[in-house]
Amino acid sequence: MTDINDTRSNNLFRLATDNSFNQIIFTDADGKILYANTSSKKVSGYNPTELIGHTPKIWGGLMNKSFYENLWKTIKMEKKTFRSEVVNRNKTGDKYFASIIIIPITEKNEIQGYIGVEQDITDIRELDKKKTEFLSIASHQLRTPLGSMRWNLEMLLEEEFGKLPADAKTVLKQIYESNLRMINLVNDYLSVSRIEQGRVFDEPKSTDISKLIKQVAIEIETEAQKKSVVGEMRFDKTVIPKITIDPKRLHEVLHNLLTNAIKYNRKNGKIIIKVERKKNFIKISITDNGIGIPMKEKKKIFSKYFRAVNAQLNTNEGTGLGLFIVKSYVEAWGGKVGFESQVKKGTTFYFTLPLIPHHGNLSKNL
C-alpha cells in the first residue's frame, strides 16, 4: 500500500511540475541538477536529461561576481530564499531575461539541496522598454510647452503686463501651481526613463553640500508654509568638505526627499535636516513627524511607482517615482540609502555619500 501511495505521489509531483510554465529544478547541496521539469526546454532550450549532473551555470553565469556572492550568501550561509531578475543565455546562444527564486532545502539546519524556479520575462521586459520609450518621448514633447507656460504665468503674476484683479490673480496662482506640479511630474518621468535606458551620465563638479541643501530648502519654502511646516538644519561642527559630484542630480535627490517630508507631514509639522561628517563619507538625514510608513509596505518603498496606502489617502499628488530615483543615484555614487519610520509618528530618510563618489553612468547598477 505504501508503494502505491509513493507511486501516486511521484506521479502527482511530476504532473504538477511538468504542467508549470516555469522551469523548475532540484539540485544537491553543491548545485548539481538532480531533476528538471519539461518546461526547461521552453525556458532555457535544454531537455531535462541534458541538465542532469550540470549546474545552472550551463545557461547562466552572466551576472557580475558580487551578484553570485550575494546569492550564495543568502541561500547557503543565511539559508534564506533568494529572489532576483537575471540575464541568462539559452541553448541557441540567445540572451533572455528571467525572474528566479531559489529555495534552500534543509534538514536539521543542514543544506540538503535547492529548488530553483525560473520564469522567462523577456516579453514583459520588452513591453516595459516600449512603455519607457513612450514616456520619454511624451515627456520631452510636454517639457517645452509647460516651460513656456510657466514663464508666461510668472510674468502675468508679477503684473508685467498690467495690474490684475484680485480674483484673476488667485485663479492664475492656482494654474501656476498646477503647471509646476506637471513640470515636476514630467521631470520625474524623464529621469526614470533615462535610468531605465542607461542614459544617466553625471557631470561631476566640486560641490558644497551644505550650500546646496540650503538652496533646495529655500526653493521649497513656499510649499512648507502652506502646511505651516517649519524646518531646522543641524550641520556637523566638523567642516563638511566639498565633494566632486553632479550637483544637478544631487539637487534632484534632496528635492525629492524634502518635498516628500513636506507632502506627508502633518499640519504644523517639523522637518530636521542633519548633515554629518563620518570617516570616509557624509551622511544626510531628513526627519519629519508626519504620517509614517506602514510596516507591511516598507519593503516596497523604493520600488518604481509604489505609494503606501496611507500616502495615497493623505494626498492624490505623487507618482511613486521619487524614491526610486533617489536610490538609483545614491547607489550609483557608491552610497547607501535607508529609512526608519513609525506610523503616525514620522519618518527619517537618510543617505550616505563617499568623499570620493563614483562617476560615469548613474544607471549602470540597474
Side-chain angles (χ1 to χ4, degrees), residues 271-327:
I271 296 172
I272 298 171
I273 306 166
K274 194 173 179 182
V275 184
E276 302 169 87
R277 163 74 188 271
K278 302 295 183 180
K279 187 177 180 181
N280 297 314
F281 61 89
I282 296 167
K283 182 179 180 181
I284 300 166
S285 56
I286 296 167
T287 301
D288 66 62
N289 53 354
I291 62 174
I293 300 164
M295 180 65 71
K296 64 181 181 180
E297 298 189 309
K298 286 183 177 181
K299 287 184 179 179
K300 304 174 189 175
I301 206 67
F302 291 107
S303 301
K304 188 173 50 175
Y305 301 116
F306 178 78
R307 294 183 73 213
V309 172
N310 60 341
Q312 295 177 51
L313 293 172
N314 183 70
T315 175
N316 289 325
E317 292 178 26
T319 59
L321 296 174
L323 292 176
F324 172 80
I325 293 167
V326 168
K327 189 172 188 288

Short mmCIF file of all heavy atoms in Angstrom, two decimals, residues 271-327:
data_model
loop_
_atom_site.label_atom_id
_atom_site.label_comp_id
_atom_site.label_asym_id
_atom_site.label_seq_id
_atom_site.Cartn_x
_atom_site.Cartn_y
_atom_site.Cartn_z
N ILE A 271 10.47 69.55 10.15
CA ILE A 271 11.46 68.79 9.38
C ILE A 271 12.85 69.13 9.94
O ILE A 271 13.17 70.30 10.15
CB ILE A 271 11.42 69.14 7.88
CG1 ILE A 271 10.08 68.72 7.28
CG2 ILE A 271 12.57 68.46 7.13
CD1 ILE A 271 9.88 69.20 5.85
N ILE A 272 13.63 68.08 10.19
CA ILE A 272 15.01 68.29 10.64
C ILE A 272 15.96 67.74 9.58
O ILE A 272 15.87 66.57 9.19
CB ILE A 272 15.28 67.57 11.99
CG1 ILE A 272 14.38 68.14 13.08
CG2 ILE A 272 16.75 67.71 12.39
CD1 ILE A 272 14.41 67.36 14.38
N ILE A 273 16.84 68.60 9.09
CA ILE A 273 17.84 68.19 8.11
C ILE A 273 19.18 68.11 8.82
O ILE A 273 19.66 69.09 9.39
CB ILE A 273 17.93 69.21 6.95
CG1 ILE A 273 16.55 69.44 6.32
CG2 ILE A 273 18.92 68.73 5.89
CD1 ILE A 273 16.49 70.64 5.42
N LYS A 274 19.76 66.93 8.81
CA LYS A 274 21.01 66.71 9.54
C LYS A 274 22.12 66.28 8.58
O LYS A 274 21.91 65.41 7.73
CB LYS A 274 20.78 65.61 10.59
CG LYS A 274 21.86 65.49 11.64
CD LYS A 274 21.43 64.48 12.70
CE LYS A 274 22.48 64.30 13.78
NZ LYS A 274 22.07 63.29 14.78
N VAL A 275 23.28 66.91 8.71
CA VAL A 275 24.44 66.56 7.88
C VAL A 275 25.61 66.23 8.81
O VAL A 275 25.98 67.03 9.66
CB VAL A 275 24.84 67.72 6.94
CG1 VAL A 275 25.99 67.29 6.02
CG2 VAL A 275 23.64 68.17 6.11
N GLU A 276 26.16 65.01 8.63
CA GLU A 276 27.25 64.55 9.49
C GLU A 276 28.46 64.13 8.66
O GLU A 276 28.30 63.49 7.62
CB GLU A 276 26.80 63.36 10.34
CG GLU A 276 25.58 63.62 11.21
CD GLU A 276 25.04 62.35 11.79
OE1 GLU A 276 25.52 61.94 12.87
OE2 GLU A 276 24.14 61.74 11.17
N ARG A 277 29.63 64.47 9.14
CA ARG A 277 30.87 64.01 8.51
C ARG A 277 31.35 62.76 9.24
O ARG A 277 31.60 62.78 10.44
CB ARG A 277 31.92 65.13 8.60
CG ARG A 277 33.37 64.66 8.36
CD ARG A 277 33.64 64.36 6.91
NE ARG A 277 34.95 63.75 6.72
CZ ARG A 277 36.09 64.43 6.52
NH1 ARG A 277 36.07 65.76 6.50
NH2 ARG A 277 37.23 63.79 6.32
N LYS A 278 31.44 61.66 8.50
CA LYS A 278 31.99 60.42 9.05
C LYS A 278 33.40 60.26 8.51
O LYS A 278 33.95 61.15 7.87
CB LYS A 278 31.10 59.24 8.66
CG LYS A 278 29.65 59.37 9.13
CD LYS A 278 29.52 59.36 10.64
CE LYS A 278 28.07 59.41 11.08
NZ LYS A 278 27.92 59.41 12.55
N LYS A 279 34.02 59.10 8.77
CA LYS A 279 35.41 58.89 8.39
C LYS A 279 35.62 59.00 6.88
O LYS A 279 36.44 59.78 6.41
CB LYS A 279 35.89 57.51 8.88
CG LYS A 279 37.37 57.29 8.66
CD LYS A 279 37.80 55.94 9.24
CE LYS A 279 39.31 55.73 9.00
NZ LYS A 279 39.76 54.41 9.53
N ASN A 280 34.85 58.20 6.12
CA ASN A 280 35.04 58.17 4.67
C ASN A 280 33.81 58.61 3.88
O ASN A 280 33.77 58.46 2.66
CB ASN A 280 35.43 56.75 4.22
CG ASN A 280 36.74 56.31 4.82
OD1 ASN A 280 37.71 57.05 4.82
ND2 ASN A 280 36.77 55.09 5.33
N PHE A 281 32.82 59.13 4.59
CA PHE A 281 31.60 59.51 3.88
C PHE A 281 30.85 60.61 4.63
O PHE A 281 31.18 60.95 5.77
CB PHE A 281 30.69 58.30 3.68
CG PHE A 281 30.22 57.65 4.94
CD1 PHE A 281 29.05 58.06 5.58
CD2 PHE A 281 30.94 56.60 5.51
CE1 PHE A 281 28.61 57.46 6.75
CE2 PHE A 281 30.51 55.99 6.70
CZ PHE A 281 29.34 56.43 7.30
N ILE A 282 29.87 61.16 3.95
CA ILE A 282 28.98 62.17 4.53
C ILE A 282 27.59 61.55 4.63
O ILE A 282 27.12 60.90 3.69
CB ILE A 282 28.94 63.44 3.65
CG1 ILE A 282 30.32 64.10 3.63
CG2 ILE A 282 27.89 64.42 4.16
CD1 ILE A 282 30.47 65.16 2.56
N LYS A 283 26.93 61.75 5.76
CA LYS A 283 25.58 61.22 5.95
C LYS A 283 24.59 62.37 6.04
O LYS A 283 24.78 63.30 6.82
CB LYS A 283 25.51 60.36 7.22
CG LYS A 283 24.13 59.75 7.45
CD LYS A 283 24.11 58.90 8.72
CE LYS A 283 22.73 58.29 8.95
NZ LYS A 283 22.68 57.48 10.19
N ILE A 284 23.54 62.29 5.24
CA ILE A 284 22.49 63.30 5.24
C ILE A 284 21.18 62.63 5.62
O ILE A 284 20.81 61.62 5.03
CB ILE A 284 22.37 63.96 3.85
CG1 ILE A 284 23.69 64.62 3.45
CG2 ILE A 284 21.23 64.98 3.83
CD1 ILE A 284 23.77 65.00 2.00
N SER A 285 20.50 63.16 6.62
CA SER A 285 19.22 62.60 7.04
C SER A 285 18.15 63.68 7.10
O SER A 285 18.44 64.83 7.45
CB SER A 285 19.35 61.88 8.38
OG SER A 285 19.86 62.75 9.37
N ILE A 286 16.93 63.29 6.73
CA ILE A 286 15.80 64.22 6.71
C ILE A 286 14.66 63.57 7.50
O ILE A 286 14.15 62.52 7.12
CB ILE A 286 15.37 64.52 5.26
CG1 ILE A 286 16.51 65.24 4.52
CG2 ILE A 286 14.09 65.35 5.24
CD1 ILE A 286 16.35 65.33 3.04
N THR A 287 14.30 64.22 8.61
CA THR A 287 13.30 63.66 9.53
C THR A 287 12.04 64.51 9.53
O THR A 287 12.11 65.74 9.59
CB THR A 287 13.88 63.60 10.97
OG1 THR A 287 15.05 62.79 10.96
CG2 THR A 287 12.87 63.02 11.93
N ASP A 288 10.89 63.84 9.45
CA ASP A 288 9.61 64.55 9.59
C ASP A 288 8.80 63.90 10.71
O ASP A 288 9.15 62.81 11.18
CB ASP A 288 8.83 64.53 8.27
CG ASP A 288 8.39 63.13 7.86
OD1 ASP A 288 7.62 62.50 8.60
OD2 ASP A 288 8.82 62.65 6.79
N ASN A 289 7.75 64.56 11.14
CA ASN A 289 6.85 63.94 12.13
C ASN A 289 5.45 63.78 11.53
O ASN A 289 4.44 64.16 12.11
CB ASN A 289 6.82 64.75 13.44
CG ASN A 289 6.48 66.21 13.22
OD1 ASN A 289 6.38 66.68 12.08
ND2 ASN A 289 6.31 66.95 14.30
N GLY A 290 5.47 63.19 10.32
CA GLY A 290 4.23 63.03 9.56
C GLY A 290 3.56 61.68 9.71
O GLY A 290 3.57 61.08 10.79
N ILE A 291 3.00 61.17 8.60
CA ILE A 291 2.11 60.00 8.65
C ILE A 291 2.86 58.69 8.84
O ILE A 291 2.28 57.70 9.27
CB ILE A 291 1.23 59.91 7.38
CG1 ILE A 291 2.11 59.75 6.12
CG2 ILE A 291 0.34 61.14 7.27
CD1 ILE A 291 1.32 59.50 4.85
N GLY A 292 4.15 58.64 8.51
CA GLY A 292 4.91 57.41 8.65
C GLY A 292 4.60 56.39 7.57
O GLY A 292 3.73 56.60 6.71
N ILE A 293 5.32 55.26 7.59
CA ILE A 293 5.16 54.21 6.58
C ILE A 293 4.74 52.92 7.27
O ILE A 293 5.41 52.46 8.18
CB ILE A 293 6.49 54.00 5.81
CG1 ILE A 293 6.92 55.30 5.12
CG2 ILE A 293 6.35 52.86 4.79
CD1 ILE A 293 8.36 55.30 4.67
N PRO A 294 3.63 52.30 6.84
CA PRO A 294 3.18 51.04 7.46
C PRO A 294 4.24 49.94 7.34
O PRO A 294 4.92 49.83 6.32
CB PRO A 294 1.92 50.68 6.65
CG PRO A 294 1.45 51.98 6.07
CD PRO A 294 2.69 52.77 5.80
N MET A 295 4.36 49.13 8.36
CA MET A 295 5.37 48.07 8.42
C MET A 295 5.30 47.15 7.21
O MET A 295 6.32 46.82 6.60
CB MET A 295 5.17 47.25 9.70
CG MET A 295 6.15 46.11 9.88
SD MET A 295 7.87 46.65 10.10
CE MET A 295 7.78 47.34 11.75
N LYS A 296 4.09 46.74 6.81
CA LYS A 296 3.95 45.75 5.74
C LYS A 296 4.32 46.33 4.36
O LYS A 296 4.46 45.57 3.39
CB LYS A 296 2.53 45.19 5.70
CG LYS A 296 1.46 46.21 5.37
CD LYS A 296 0.08 45.56 5.37
CE LYS A 296 -1.00 46.57 5.01
NZ LYS A 296 -2.36 45.97 5.00
N GLU A 297 4.48 47.65 4.26
CA GLU A 297 4.78 48.26 2.97
C GLU A 297 6.21 48.79 2.88
O GLU A 297 6.61 49.33 1.86
CB GLU A 297 3.78 49.40 2.70
CG GLU A 297 2.35 48.88 2.63
CD GLU A 297 1.37 49.91 2.14
OE1 GLU A 297 1.38 51.02 2.70
OE2 GLU A 297 0.62 49.62 1.21
N LYS A 298 6.98 48.59 3.94
CA LYS A 298 8.34 49.13 3.97
C LYS A 298 9.26 48.53 2.90
O LYS A 298 10.12 49.21 2.35
CB LYS A 298 8.95 48.95 5.36
CG LYS A 298 8.37 49.90 6.39
CD LYS A 298 9.04 49.75 7.75
CE LYS A 298 8.50 50.78 8.74
NZ LYS A 298 9.14 50.68 10.06
N LYS A 299 9.06 47.24 2.61
CA LYS A 299 9.93 46.56 1.64
C LYS A 299 9.77 47.11 0.22
O LYS A 299 10.66 46.99 -0.60
CB LYS A 299 9.66 45.06 1.64
CG LYS A 299 10.19 44.33 2.86
CD LYS A 299 9.96 42.83 2.75
CE LYS A 299 10.52 42.10 3.96
NZ LYS A 299 10.28 40.63 3.88
N LYS A 300 8.61 47.71 -0.04
CA LYS A 300 8.32 48.18 -1.40
C LYS A 300 8.62 49.66 -1.61
O LYS A 300 8.43 50.17 -2.70
CB LYS A 300 6.84 47.92 -1.73
CG LYS A 300 6.39 46.49 -1.57
CD LYS A 300 4.88 46.42 -1.79
CE LYS A 300 4.32 45.06 -1.45
NZ LYS A 300 2.83 45.05 -1.56
N ILE A 301 9.05 50.35 -0.56
CA ILE A 301 9.05 51.81 -0.59
C ILE A 301 9.94 52.42 -1.67
O ILE A 301 9.69 53.52 -2.15
CB ILE A 301 9.43 52.38 0.82
CG1 ILE A 301 8.84 53.78 1.00
CG2 ILE A 301 10.93 52.36 1.05
CD1 ILE A 301 7.35 53.83 1.07
N PHE A 302 11.02 51.70 -2.08
CA PHE A 302 11.89 52.23 -3.13
C PHE A 302 11.53 51.69 -4.51
O PHE A 302 12.23 51.95 -5.48
CB PHE A 302 13.36 51.90 -2.82
CG PHE A 302 13.90 52.64 -1.63
CD1 PHE A 302 14.12 51.99 -0.43
CD2 PHE A 302 14.17 54.00 -1.71
CE1 PHE A 302 14.61 52.67 0.68
CE2 PHE A 302 14.66 54.70 -0.61
CZ PHE A 302 14.88 54.03 0.58
N SER A 303 10.43 50.93 -4.59
CA SER A 303 10.02 50.37 -5.87
C SER A 303 9.39 51.45 -6.75
O SER A 303 8.73 52.36 -6.27
CB SER A 303 8.99 49.24 -5.67
OG SER A 303 9.53 48.21 -4.88
N LYS A 304 9.60 51.28 -8.04
CA LYS A 304 9.07 52.24 -9.01
C LYS A 304 7.55 52.24 -8.99
O LYS A 304 6.92 51.18 -8.97
CB LYS A 304 9.60 51.85 -10.39
CG LYS A 304 9.33 52.81 -11.50
CD LYS A 304 10.04 52.40 -12.77
CE LYS A 304 9.79 50.97 -13.12
NZ LYS A 304 10.37 50.57 -14.40
N TYR A 305 6.95 53.42 -8.96
CA TYR A 305 5.51 53.67 -8.98
C TYR A 305 4.79 53.27 -7.69
O TYR A 305 3.56 53.35 -7.62
CB TYR A 305 4.82 52.96 -10.17
CG TYR A 305 5.35 53.37 -11.51
CD1 TYR A 305 5.99 52.46 -12.34
CD2 TYR A 305 5.22 54.69 -11.96
CE1 TYR A 305 6.50 52.84 -13.56
CE2 TYR A 305 5.72 55.08 -13.18
CZ TYR A 305 6.36 54.15 -13.99
OH TYR A 305 6.87 54.53 -15.20
N PHE A 306 5.53 52.85 -6.67
CA PHE A 306 4.86 52.42 -5.43
C PHE A 306 4.57 53.60 -4.52
O PHE A 306 5.44 54.45 -4.29
CB PHE A 306 5.70 51.40 -4.67
CG PHE A 306 5.07 50.98 -3.37
CD1 PHE A 306 4.02 50.08 -3.36
CD2 PHE A 306 5.49 51.54 -2.16
CE1 PHE A 306 3.41 49.72 -2.16
CE2 PHE A 306 4.89 51.18 -0.97
CZ PHE A 306 3.85 50.26 -0.97
N ARG A 307 3.34 53.63 -3.98
CA ARG A 307 2.97 54.60 -2.95
C ARG A 307 2.22 53.85 -1.86
O ARG A 307 1.30 53.07 -2.16
CB ARG A 307 2.09 55.71 -3.51
CG ARG A 307 2.78 56.63 -4.52
CD ARG A 307 1.84 57.73 -4.96
NE ARG A 307 1.67 58.71 -3.90
CZ ARG A 307 0.54 59.39 -3.69
NH1 ARG A 307 -0.53 59.16 -4.43
NH2 ARG A 307 0.46 60.27 -2.73
N ALA A 308 2.60 54.07 -0.62
CA ALA A 308 1.94 53.40 0.50
C ALA A 308 0.47 53.81 0.55
O ALA A 308 0.09 54.90 0.10
CB ALA A 308 2.64 53.75 1.81
N VAL A 309 -0.36 52.94 1.11
CA VAL A 309 -1.81 53.20 1.16
C VAL A 309 -2.12 54.48 1.92
O VAL A 309 -2.92 55.30 1.46
CB VAL A 309 -2.55 52.00 1.83
CG1 VAL A 309 -4.01 52.34 2.06
CG2 VAL A 309 -2.43 50.76 0.96
N ASN A 310 -1.45 54.70 3.05
CA ASN A 310 -1.74 55.92 3.82
C ASN A 310 -1.26 57.17 3.09
O ASN A 310 -1.82 58.26 3.26
CB ASN A 310 -1.16 55.84 5.24
CG ASN A 310 0.34 55.68 5.26
OD1 ASN A 310 0.96 55.28 4.27
ND2 ASN A 310 0.96 55.97 6.40
N ALA A 311 -0.23 57.02 2.25
CA ALA A 311 0.24 58.15 1.44
C ALA A 311 -0.79 58.53 0.38
O ALA A 311 -1.05 59.71 0.13
CB ALA A 311 1.57 57.81 0.78
N GLN A 312 -1.43 57.51 -0.21
CA GLN A 312 -2.47 57.76 -1.21
C GLN A 312 -3.69 58.43 -0.57
O GLN A 312 -4.33 59.29 -1.20
CB GLN A 312 -2.88 56.45 -1.87
CG GLN A 312 -1.78 55.80 -2.70
CD GLN A 312 -2.21 54.48 -3.28
OE1 GLN A 312 -3.26 54.37 -3.91
NE2 GLN A 312 -1.40 53.45 -3.07
N LEU A 313 -4.01 58.02 0.64
CA LEU A 313 -5.14 58.64 1.34
C LEU A 313 -4.83 60.06 1.77
O LEU A 313 -5.72 60.91 1.86
CB LEU A 313 -5.51 57.80 2.58
CG LEU A 313 -6.07 56.40 2.30
CD1 LEU A 313 -6.19 55.62 3.60
CD2 LEU A 313 -7.42 56.48 1.60
N ASN A 314 -3.55 60.33 2.03
CA ASN A 314 -3.12 61.65 2.50
C ASN A 314 -3.19 62.69 1.40
O ASN A 314 -3.60 63.83 1.62
CB ASN A 314 -1.69 61.57 3.05
CG ASN A 314 -1.21 62.89 3.62
OD1 ASN A 314 -1.67 63.33 4.66
ND2 ASN A 314 -0.27 63.52 2.93
N THR A 315 -2.77 62.30 0.17
CA THR A 315 -2.77 63.22 -0.97
C THR A 315 -2.80 62.45 -2.27
O THR A 315 -2.22 61.36 -2.37
CB THR A 315 -1.54 64.15 -0.94
OG1 THR A 315 -1.54 64.96 -2.13
CG2 THR A 315 -0.24 63.37 -0.88
N ASN A 316 -3.48 63.02 -3.27
CA ASN A 316 -3.51 62.40 -4.60
C ASN A 316 -2.23 62.67 -5.38
O ASN A 316 -1.95 62.00 -6.37
CB ASN A 316 -4.71 62.94 -5.40
CG ASN A 316 -6.03 62.42 -4.85
OD1 ASN A 316 -6.11 61.29 -4.38
ND2 ASN A 316 -7.06 63.25 -4.91
N GLU A 317 -1.49 63.68 -4.94
CA GLU A 317 -0.26 64.05 -5.65
C GLU A 317 0.83 63.02 -5.40
O GLU A 317 0.92 62.44 -4.32
CB GLU A 317 0.22 65.42 -5.18
CG GLU A 317 -0.70 66.56 -5.59
CD GLU A 317 -0.19 67.88 -5.07
OE1 GLU A 317 1.03 68.01 -4.84
OE2 GLU A 317 -1.01 68.79 -4.87
N GLY A 318 1.66 62.82 -6.40
CA GLY A 318 2.79 61.90 -6.25
C GLY A 318 2.71 60.79 -7.28
O GLY A 318 1.62 60.31 -7.62
N THR A 319 3.88 60.38 -7.77
CA THR A 319 3.95 59.35 -8.81
C THR A 319 4.53 58.03 -8.30
O THR A 319 4.42 57.02 -8.98
CB THR A 319 4.85 59.84 -9.96
OG1 THR A 319 6.16 60.11 -9.43
CG2 THR A 319 4.29 61.09 -10.60
N GLY A 320 5.16 58.06 -7.13
CA GLY A 320 5.85 56.87 -6.66
C GLY A 320 7.18 56.67 -7.35
O GLY A 320 7.72 55.56 -7.37
N LEU A 321 7.72 57.75 -7.93
CA LEU A 321 8.99 57.65 -8.66
C LEU A 321 10.16 58.27 -7.91
O LEU A 321 11.31 57.92 -8.14
CB LEU A 321 8.86 58.33 -10.03
CG LEU A 321 7.85 57.71 -11.00
CD1 LEU A 321 7.72 58.58 -12.25
CD2 LEU A 321 8.27 56.31 -11.39
N GLY A 322 9.87 59.22 -7.02
CA GLY A 322 10.92 59.99 -6.36
C GLY A 322 11.95 59.15 -5.62
O GLY A 322 13.16 59.34 -5.77
N LEU A 323 11.49 58.19 -4.81
CA LEU A 323 12.41 57.38 -4.02
C LEU A 323 13.18 56.38 -4.88
O LEU A 323 14.31 56.03 -4.58
CB LEU A 323 11.66 56.66 -2.90
CG LEU A 323 11.10 57.56 -1.80
CD1 LEU A 323 10.28 56.76 -0.80
CD2 LEU A 323 12.22 58.32 -1.09
N PHE A 324 12.55 55.93 -5.97
CA PHE A 324 13.25 55.07 -6.94
C PHE A 324 14.43 55.83 -7.54
O PHE A 324 15.53 55.29 -7.67
CB PHE A 324 12.27 54.65 -8.04
CG PHE A 324 12.91 53.93 -9.19
CD1 PHE A 324 13.23 52.58 -9.10
CD2 PHE A 324 13.21 54.61 -10.37
CE1 PHE A 324 13.83 51.92 -10.18
CE2 PHE A 324 13.81 53.96 -11.44
CZ PHE A 324 14.11 52.60 -11.34
N ILE A 325 14.22 57.10 -7.87
CA ILE A 325 15.27 57.94 -8.44
C ILE A 325 16.37 58.17 -7.40
O ILE A 325 17.56 58.05 -7.71
CB ILE A 325 14.68 59.29 -8.93
CG1 ILE A 325 13.74 59.05 -10.12
CG2 ILE A 325 15.79 60.27 -9.31
CD1 ILE A 325 12.87 60.25 -10.47
N VAL A 326 15.97 58.48 -6.17
CA VAL A 326 16.94 58.71 -5.09
C VAL A 326 17.86 57.50 -4.92
O VAL A 326 19.08 57.63 -4.90
CB VAL A 326 16.19 59.00 -3.75
CG1 VAL A 326 17.15 58.94 -2.58
CG2 VAL A 326 15.52 60.38 -3.81
N LYS A 327 17.27 56.32 -4.81
CA LYS A 327 18.04 55.09 -4.60
C LYS A 327 18.98 54.82 -5.78
O LYS A 327 20.14 54.43 -5.59
CB LYS A 327 17.09 53.91 -4.39
CG LYS A 327 17.78 52.61 -3.96
CD LYS A 327 16.74 51.56 -3.60
CE LYS A 327 17.37 50.32 -2.98
NZ LYS A 327 18.12 49.52 -3.94
#
